[in-house]
Amino acid sequence: MNINALRPLDGVGKKLFVETYGCQMNVGDTEIVISILQQEGYRYTERIEEADVILINTCSVRDNAEQRIWGRLADLRRFRKAKPSLRVGIIGCMAERLKERLTEGRDAVEIVAGPDAYRDLPRLLREAESGGRGVNTLLSQEETYAEIAPVRLDRNGVSGFIAIMRGCNNYCSYCVVPYTRGIERSRDPETILGEARELLANGYREVTLLGQNVNSYRFGEVDFPELMRRVADISPLLRVRFATSHPKDISDRLLEVMAAKPNICRAIHLPAQSGSTSMLGRMNRKYTREWYLERVAAIRRYLPDCAVTTDLIAGFSGETDEEHRDTLSLMREVGYEFAYMFKYSERPGTFASKHLPDDVPDEVKAARLQEIIELQNELSLASNRRDVGREFEVLVEGTSRKRKEQLFGRNSQNKVIVFDASDDVKVGDYLRVRVTDCTPATLLGVRI
Ligand code: SAH
Ligand code: SF4
Ligand code: F3S
């Protein structure tokens, strides 16, 4: 018998609201947090006004991400005024980074929980309910929340995320993630396969395996290529994606498995960060420009129709004009389908904050970022234009936001394709579509 059954559940009659910032890992963690607190009797609400407990799942990756949260805490003052019994908590990466500092000052919160402390939330909430503060920012070497069934918040019911590993051991010199998320650990493959099968049974048609560095997944004998093979074998109807991969771990074996399984999507997110070998050295990325380009060539060899997307940072410590131009030329050489592009933001506690001064003036960073964005817009449009006239299999995800009589879905390359709706097509169907036109962000198509 469960010992918890002997005591009343603390959350009965109380409503929980959770707001999520940051990466997909945080989105997944929110689903785990809701699951844990529902066990405790809390009911999830999407209406913040009626909440008894508000949790904010936070991101620390850049300073502006943290500034947004401070602004949000100031917004919450009016809710606290209206309901003095309201309890507010900061969870996630910013909780880990700032710890007790969040319980001080005008916007002090009652609950602080780091990414590995979510099982302790019921106790932390009890502390908060009894007038104290609940703080737990211990990082763990084992926690993967492996057996907790996340409460799915994604609304389309077609495409779901499965966290397969947590943490990061790479220590890129600019990055705060290894400090906020702790060391790498992988989840038991059986629990991953179980979750994927359940999603399929519930009508889902796509899973994305998630981690800060998915391709360093390893659990006993099962490494990432083997895990991908097993997930892909569940059903040809289930598409499989993954994010994010570190270039150092994109192995030929993974590419072989992908090439052998048509339901593994032809899309690889391969963050380059910079196109300059000297810069990559300062970033502690563990590869050179040449090595990165060789991996892209390997992708093209195994998967000629694979989309390659990336992350880039403008204006990292000591960046020269030449290094910046190397990033632009790398972008042209690879011809990225899409990129996330950022201005470098120094993070306290990282190697760079201690040893590599943030010496590129803000105007220079901004100008370089602008050049990168403009070039990527050109590349994205060129890539979309190449698709005009081609046929793709599309998984239908929903109704177009702009025009109700249109549906949208994605092709294997993860590009959005919009096409006319008809009565016999529903969300979750696979369709063949021919692309007839495009914008910089979307492909327009017709059913065939
Ligand atoms: N684990 C993933 C990245 C997670 S963070 C990976 O390595 O691919 C997402 C992106 O944020 C990074 O790829 C990087 O481009 C960017 N980023 C990380 N730290 C940053 C910082 N201090 N300033 C600006 N961008 C940063
Ligand atoms: Fe950060 Fe590098 Fe780890 Fe990605 S691989 S999370 S950029 S330290
Ligand atoms: Fe942000 Fe933490 Fe994700 S710092 S990017 S929420 S791992």
Side-chain angles (χ1 to χ4, degrees):
M1 185 179 175
N2 182 346
I3 190 136
N4 281 332
L6 297 174
R7 65 168 176 77
L9 296 175
D10 293 306
V12 171
K14 297 204 188 102
K15 290 190 179 143
L16 164 74
F17 176 86
V18 190
E19 199 163 272
T20 309
Y21 297 83
C23 61
Q24 281 302 332
M25 292 295 291
N26 262 13
V27 176
D29 281 0
T30 289
E31 296 179 339
I32 286 168
V33 164
I34 293 172
S35 176
I36 290 171
L37 289 176
Q38 279 186 350
Q39 295 286 318
E40 197 60 28
Y42 287 88
R43 216 147 45 80
Y44 181 69
T45 175
E46 294 189 343
R47 297 183 44 221
I48 190 168
E49 318 77 62
E50 60 177 31
D52 302 293
V53 175
I54 297 175
L55 298 178
I56 308 181
N57 196 356
T58 58
C59 175
S60 285
V61 80
R62 282 168 290 277
D63 184 57
N64 57 10
E66 291 194 350
Q67 292 310 324
R68 261 176 90 191
I69 305 295
W70 289 115
R72 196 64 188 123
L73 283 176
D75 289 346
L76 292 184
R77 286 174 199 158
R78 63 192 166 93
F79 291 99
R80 290 182 184 270
K81 233 191 196 148
K83 189 188 268 185
S85 65
L86 179 67
R87 296 290 178 263
V88 178
I90 293 283
I91 64 175
C93 290
M94 202 173 155
E96 193 61 48
R97 199 179 84 72
L98 296 174
K99 304 190 165 83
E100 273 87 2
R101 231 187 299 166
L102 290 160
T103 62
E104 294 158 6
R106 175 156 187 205
D107 293 313
V109 297
E110 291 79 36
I111 302 132
V112 176
D116 289 342
Y118 298 149
R119 283 182 208 266
D120 197 26
L121 273 170
R123 184 186 68 83
L124 301 177
L125 278 160
R126 274 199 292 283
E127 298 267 337
E129 291 296 344
S130 56
R133 293 192 196 280
V135 179
N136 183 346
T137 54
L138 287 177
L139 286 172
S140 153
Q141 312 210 340
E142 295 99 37
E143 182 63 272
T144 59
Y145 303 107
E147 81 303 345
I148 295 180
V151 172
R152 302 271 164 200
L153 294 179
D154 33 17
R155 281 155 238 296
N156 69 10
V158 171
S159 167
F161 293 91
I162 303 181
I164 63 162
M165 52 93 67
R166 300 178 72 82
C168 180
N169 291 349
N170 289 323
Y171 290 94
C172 302
S173 60
Y174 51 81
C175 184
V176 78
V177 171
Y179 306 94
T180 62
R181 294 245 156 201
I183 62 163
E184 273 175 23
R185 62 223 103 119
S186 296
R187 184 176 160 190
D188 184 332
E190 285 312 317
T191 67
I192 297 168
L193 292 166
E195 207 171 307
R197 282 190 206 104
E198 197 176 309
L199 284 171
L200 179 71
N202 288 328
Y204 282 73
R205 291 294 174 264
E206 183 176 280
V207 293
T208 302
L209 306 186
L210 276 187
Q212 285 303 342
N213 187 8
V214 279
N215 40 13
S216 62
Y217 175 91
R218 173 172 286 281
F219 192 96
E221 295 295 287
V222 182
D223 62 1
F224 187 62
E226 174 60 16
L227 179 71
M228 284 294 281
R229 196 184 62 70
R230 292 189 190 180
V231 177
D233 280 342
I234 290 176
S235 163
L237 278 180
L238 189 69
R239 278 183 173 179
V240 189
R241 300 186 185 278
F242 57 96
T244 301
S245 7
H246 193 291
K248 76 177 165 56
D249 298 318
I250 279 282
S251 64
D252 282 37
R253 258 192 66 230
L254 174 62
L255 298 173
E256 273 164 31
V257 171
M258 291 179 74
K261 306 279 172 191
N263 59 327
I264 301 183
C265 289
R266 274 39 184 156
I268 297 183
H269 190 63
L270 200 65
Q273 314 301 357
S274 166
S276 150
T277 295
S278 49
M279 175 57 94
L280 289 167
R282 294 205 291 290
M283 287 178 159
N284 192 31
R285 288 292 286 181
K286 305 176 183 96
Y287 53 86
T288 61
R289 175 192 177 96
E290 290 65 36
W291 196 88
Y292 181 94
L293 283 169
E294 192 285 316
R295 287 292 81 197
V296 172
I299 293 172
R300 306 265 190 251
R301 266 198 312 277
Y302 284 98
L303 307 160
D305 57 347
C306 188
V308 180
T309 56
T310 201
D311 294 352
L312 296 164
I313 300 177
F316 181 59
S317 305
E319 189 180 62
T320 62
D321 264 322
E322 194 187 340
E323 287 172 329
H324 167 61
R325 284 198 302 275
D326 284 344
T327 295
L328 297 173
S329 75
L330 180 86
M331 292 171 70
R332 281 208 186 82
E333 213 165 320
V334 179
Y336 293 112
E337 263 67 37
F338 176 84
Y340 293 104
M341 299 156 283
F342 310 103
K343 203 158 77 166
Y344 172 53
S345 165
E346 187 180 81
R347 307 313 293 132
T350 56
F351 181 89
S353 74
K354 294 178 197 155
H355 306 288
L356 301 167
D358 181 13
D359 54 2
V360 178
D362 196 59
E363 321 81 78
V364 176
K365 281 185 192 171
R368 287 178 183 168
L369 178 63
Q370 196 50 38
E371 272 189 84
I372 289 174
I373 291 173
E374 277 162 25
L375 174 55
Q376 186 53 48
N377 287 345
E378 269 174 48
L379 295 173
S380 298
L381 182 60
S383 158
N384 280 356
R385 288 211 174 115
R386 283 195 298 275
D387 287 339
V388 174
R390 291 189 186 158
E391 288 177 14
F392 295 101
E393 184 178 65
V394 169
L395 172 60
V396 183
E397 284 181 35
T399 308
S400 160
R401 240 179 305 160
K402 287 194 201 120
R403 286 202 269 148
K404 284 274 170 300
E405 63 284 5
Q406 292 204 303
L407 294 172
F408 77 95
R410 275 164 215 274
N411 63 12
S412 177
Q413 288 73 10
N414 212 19
K415 284 192 186 176
V416 173
I417 306 186
V418 177
F419 53 94
D420 286 340
S422 55
D423 292 341
D424 59 330
V425 179
K426 53 185 192 322
V427 169
D429 286 351
Y430 286 105
L431 286 185
R432 299 237 15 122
V433 169
R434 191 175 58 248
V435 176
T436 51
D437 201 356
C438 70
T439 71
T442 336
L443 300 176
L444 312 171
V446 291
R447 250 179 98 183
I448 37 179

